[in-house]
Amino acid sequence: MATAMFARSSERLVRQLFDVGIELHELRDIFDRRDSTESQVLAASVAVSDVIEDLDQLIHDTSRAMLTLASDRFVMTELRIRGPVLRKHRH
């Protein structure tokens, strides 16, 4: 179940990173052009702040997905190593 969730999250992550990359390229063009107006540069600066917030959220979501996957794998590994828990009967 965690692997399926991780796969969905990874697909979403890749799409979001691609979108952020496109946004950053477009913003870089505004900063690099000599004919950009002050209002364009200001708007691009605000947009960069928004992109940074998006990246922060992506990093947060990715870390949660990785922790979920890692913890599930740890539990499954422990179960395989230790096997089923057998209770000792006291006589």
Side-chain angles (χ1 to χ4, degrees):
M1 181 155 127
T3 303
M5 183 181 101
F6 181 76
R8 284 190 304 274
S9 295
S10 296
E11 181 182 342
R12 190 178 81 224
L13 171 68
V14 169
R15 275 188 271 119
Q16 290 171 330
L17 285 172
F18 183 76
D19 291 343
V20 165
I22 289 172
E23 286 179 63
L24 288 173
H25 281 284
E26 291 171 355
L27 293 171
R28 183 180 61 191
D29 290 343
I30 291 170
F31 289 116
D32 288 345
R33 287 189 351 229
R34 293 181 187 265
D35 64 339
S36 294
T37 65
E38 188 175 326
S39 63
Q40 287 173 320
V41 171
L42 181 60
S45 184
V46 169
V48 167
S49 293
D50 291 343
V51 169
I52 290 170
E53 286 180 26
D54 290 345
L55 284 171
D56 185 50
Q57 186 63 47
L58 285 170
I59 291 166
H60 176 75
D61 291 348
T62 302
S63 65
R64 287 183 60 207
M66 290 302 295
L67 286 172
T68 299
L69 184 62
S71 66
D72 283 354
R73 284 184 183 234
F74 176 76
V75 168
M76 294 306 293
T77 300
E78 285 292 307
L79 288 174
R80 279 196 307 270
I81 291 171
R82 294 183 183 190
V85 177
L86 299 175
R87 295 182 182 228
K88 295 181 181 180
H89 296 282
R90 292 187 180 185
H91 296 281

